[in-house]
Amino acid sequence: MADRFPSRRGVLAAGLWTALAGAGTTACAGGSGAGDPDGPVTFWSSLRGTDTLVAAYNEAHPEDPVDYSPMTSGLAGGNAKLSNAARAGNAPDIVNIVDADLPSFALDGVCADLTARVTPRLRDQLGAQAWTNGVLDGRVYGIPLDLGPMLFAYREDILREHRIEPPATWEEFREAARRLKRRAGIDLATFHPNAYNVLAGHAMQSGGQWFATKGDTWVLDFLGGPTRRVADYWQGLIDEDLLLVAPGSSQEWLSALARGRVAGHIVGPWGLAALASSVPGTAGRWRAAPLPQWNPDHPVVGTDGVSVHVITADSPRKDRAMRFMEWMTTSPEAITARLSSGRSSLFPAARDAVEPASRQFHTDFYDGQDLYALVRRQAAHLRTGWTWGPRMQSTATSLHQGLARLPYGTTITEALRAAQSETLPDMRSLGLRVRQA
């Protein structure tokens, strides 16, 4: 079977990618791996539970071992390490990255084209919502691990005390924020100026499309109607002083959560466990609800960051790596091993892995609420067809710099405008045809 790798020159000449949810793939069984060299499959990951996952695999498959190396996540961590290793010719066989970084690594030729290696079972197990995060221009470059429908986690005791129901619409959310601030001086939620992924998730829900293609040209639209609706809405809440404005993971934000000065948090499923570990003193007081809707008759949910696994273009063990990735992504044994600590709320993309995952997460922080049932329902409303840009780290940096000036008079719309204007020449410097909408 011939491997089809992304050619940087070819991609630049074509000038586009379009993420096609549920795109058809040419499937094969992946081969026996007889042509792969001996030695362990090397695997870098920043995800919690990967050590126990790999240990379980190696115990069950001693003849085909995997060698796991932990890494940190983010621009200065795993991303830089992977880029440097790929340039030096010593990248691992497999690495996990976030969905927003997949186009960049594919453009740089780091990721192998896995289209012909996707089996019918794997294609069916993951479904359209997941494949949106791993497919570029109809080709598979990443195997999605989880789904990330945005949710609203809230302090049930605070809302109950002030006779406020979890809001079902964004208008109800605004009214709830007003009532809570007027009655108790408590903010309903936080706007994080360092969370481009959350703002993008809101744009997804509203129908925005920051990056799109027409013919052989990329089109940037950070200021279209759906995104402007999102920007104006959150700007209005900020202007009314109904939100805490603070960076995610900051001491200011965590302290406000711990002291009950903020009563809610918008986050994907993975963040439910992170919240529990961040403010353990509030255990039993939190619940999770569906994300408020613009139109509850036609619910749509955006994604708050998910993980994909890629096989690097220079890997000599692609057949063996693909077999391991399918086991890791879809088998109940794999998800049980990964989540066995009970401290991860990852929601698997694979249909058959959801039930075993739900049995692992300790839900006492949420007073025993069946969170996986909630996430399963919300995942059905995930929007498909979103396209990330080819240099999202640069775009995110520009957007974060603009949003950091919100306390000094900058608006969300102005931050989006600046990020678009800075992304345009950045993409052109790659040789891409690009214009503003």
Side-chain angles (χ1 to χ4, degrees), residues 109-174:
V110 174
C111 308
D113 182 341
L114 304 178
T115 308
R117 299 175 185 275
V118 176
T119 65
R121 175 180 176 274
L122 180 58
R123 184 173 64 246
D124 176 68
Q125 275 285 313
L126 300 190
Q129 284 86 359
W131 285 117
T132 284
N133 304 314
V135 176
L136 306 169
D137 198 23
R139 311 297 297 177
V140 178
Y141 291 98
I143 306 301
L145 175 65
D146 58 330
L147 295 173
M150 293 171 68
L151 308 164
F152 177 55
Y154 64 95
R155 281 282 298 270
E156 192 274 339
D157 57 330
I158 293 176
L159 266 60
R160 183 182 68 247
E161 178 183 354
H162 298 286
R163 298 186 297 280
I164 296 173
E165 294 293 325
T169 68
W170 287 115
E171 183 56 38
E172 290 178 5
F173 187 93
R174 180 177 11 232

Side-chain angles (χ1 to χ4, degrees), residues 16-68:
L16 56 89
W17 277 319
T18 304
L20 302 175
T25 56
T26 303
C28 68
S32 65
D36 287 358
D38 292 334
V41 171
T42 54
F43 178 26
W44 292 358
S45 176
S46 61
L47 298 180
R48 175 181 290 170
T50 304
D51 53 345
T52 55
L53 167 84
V54 171
Y57 182 82
N58 286 341
E59 183 177 358
H61 304 85
E63 77 292 348
D64 193 15
V66 172
D67 183 12
Y68 159 64

Side-chain angles (χ1 to χ4, degrees), residues 179-197:
R179 290 171 59 191
L180 190 59
K181 194 62 174 282
R182 183 173 61 247
R183 294 177 180 180
I186 296 173
D187 294 312
L188 183 58
T190 306
F191 185 90
H192 298 304
N194 63 340
Y196 79 94
N197 53 304

